[in-house]
Amino acid sequence: MRRTALLAAVAALVAGALAWPADAAPATFAHPGVTVSKGQLDFTRAKVNAGAQPWKGAYDQMMASKYADLNRTPKPRAVVECGSYSNPNHGCTDEREDALAAYTQALAWYITRDERHAKKSIQLMDAWSAVVTDHTNSNAPLQAGWAGSSWPKAAEIIKHTYTGGWAGSGRFATMLRDVYLPEVINGSNSNGNWELSMMEAAVGISVFLEDKASYDKATAKFRTRTAAYVYLASDGELPKIVPSQNLDTRDKVVRYWQGQSTFVTGLTQETCRDLTHTGYGISAISHVAETSRIQGQDLYGTDVGERLRQALGFQAKYELGTAVPSWLCGGSLHLGLGPVTEVGYNALHNRIGMAMTNTQALTERNRPAGSNNLFVAWETLTHGDNLS
């Protein structure tokens, strides 16, 4: 009897050990490794230089954008104050767009090898790391999540591929550690897209800083929130919840899900709010899963991947024009999913081979996917049919 119990205990420990790496930071971080890998960058560069589509068209779109302008002047400030819907907007747009520009310039550097783009990316990052100290007002956590998602994508490419040197990289790392990470790492009990974007920032920052403890904390919080953001029939009668939100009655859950009381696979917590905010959440899920893949963990092979696939397919169906049934959001949806399908579609359909008919149709219709001017940019360029 004792031997049986011992074997059971050992089996449980082994199972736990086997399950743990899905959440664990890698022994050695891969660089560049936030959303896009060196292999993916090399693939993108080769396709653009060969004039192949859709990458060349996506590159031309990026280079024609304001973010690729070599004359861009950074607009840093010490305290970024963002209220609800960025009202007041004291540096909110400037910060997000300077971060997107830093990433855009880093991509332009990698593809063209024109040092002017690397130096512009560095100028933007250095300008902010010299000045910013805090984010305030009600949207501070979300703002830090959005800008904090773009900064490490830029920094990873510059630090690990540009040979011209970046003297300010240490100060930039200090900015991420002291100004952004504390604002996002503990999460949020607001609408789910907030916490998902905040965990995207936390994961990306953790990779740049090689901070294993923060990486683990952010990934665990991300998995709990993803399960509570996208419903699967296997969850049961009601969606999963984040324990700290105390959604302990059906009425509370329905109210949190924007009044939606019928739950079907692929529905998200914000579908009945609008597909734009839903797209923010879906995008963040795909970005964290992609960063984790680059770092050696397979979140796509967990429920995260299935929730992402189903969320993409469900929203894409209505974005493509399927009539909205009366039981769904009172028979009316606010469309506008945004340029958020490429990363998840590439990973789940192209890499793994899952059928994603609606997502494929929407992705191909929207190519080249541009930027949402918040934290998503140029994903046809970096992830379109990219198996590297």
Side-chain angles (χ1 to χ4, degrees), residues 75-95:
K75 298 178 180 177
R77 65 172 64 208
V79 178
V80 178
E81 182 185 3
C82 306
S84 182
Y85 290 90
S86 293
N87 183 21
N89 183 342
H90 296 152
C92 316
T93 301
D94 291 339
E95 180 187 35

Side-chain angles (χ1 to χ4, degrees), residues 259-327:
Q260 177 69 12
S261 58
T262 301
F263 301 101
V264 297
T265 292
L267 182 78
T268 81
Q269 182 256 315
E270 294 187 273
T271 299
C272 293
R273 179 186 185 186
D274 58 62
L275 296 199
T276 301
H277 285 87
T278 297
Y280 300 164
I282 290 173
S283 180
I285 292 170
S286 69
H287 290 165
V288 174
E290 189 72 355
T291 296
S292 298
R293 181 192 68 81
I294 294 166
Q295 298 305 328
Q297 290 85 47
D298 179 22
L299 289 184
Y300 290 120
T302 70
D303 75 301
V304 170
E306 181 62 9
R307 291 178 196 278
L308 176 59
R309 182 175 79 94
Q310 295 291 351
L312 282 167
F314 186 86
Q315 303 345 282
K317 176 172 64 174
Y318 296 107
E319 193 76 16
L320 288 166
T322 295
V324 182
S326 59
W327 57 263

Side-chain angles (χ1 to χ4, degrees), residues 34-48 54-62 103-108 110-111 153-154 157 283 286-287 290 293-294 339-344 346-347 350-351 367-370 375-388:
V34 177
T35 310
V36 61
S37 68
K38 185 176 186 302
Q40 289 170 307
L41 290 167
D42 287 339
F43 172 92
T44 297
R45 182 169 186 255
K47 290 295 187 182
V48 171
W55 306 277
K56 180 60 165 63
Y59 168 78
D60 290 342
Q61 175 196 44
M62 179 182 81
Y103 175 53
T104 300
Q105 298 283 351
L107 287 174
Y110 198 89
I111 293 168
K153 288 194 288 190
I157 294 172
S283 180
S286 69
H287 290 165
E290 189 72 355
R293 181 192 68 81
I294 294 166
V340 302
T341 65
E342 289 278 14
V343 175
N346 184 57
N350 293 334
R351 288 182 184 279
R367 282 180 172 171
F375 69 103
V376 179
W378 325 126
E379 293 182 349
T380 298
L381 177 65
T382 56
H383 289 81
D385 303 333
N386 188 339
L387 300 181
S388 299

Side-chain angles (χ1 to χ4, degrees), residues 222-256:
F222 164 79
R223 292 196 65 173
T224 299
R225 175 60 68 176
T226 298
Y229 194 70
V230 182
Y231 177 79
L232 298 178
S234 57
D235 293 339
E237 181 187 353
L238 293 173
K240 291 182 178 292
I241 62 169
V242 175
S244 60
Q245 292 191 263
N246 298 312
L247 300 175
D248 52 6
T249 68
R250 179 182 177 85
D251 285 347
K252 287 182 182 179
V253 171
V254 169
R255 191 157 53 247
Y256 185 60

Side-chain angles (χ1 to χ4, degrees), residues 56 87 109 142 152 290 301 332 362:
K56 180 60 165 63
N87 183 21
W109 141 252
L142 182 61
E290 189 72 355
S332 177
L362 183 62

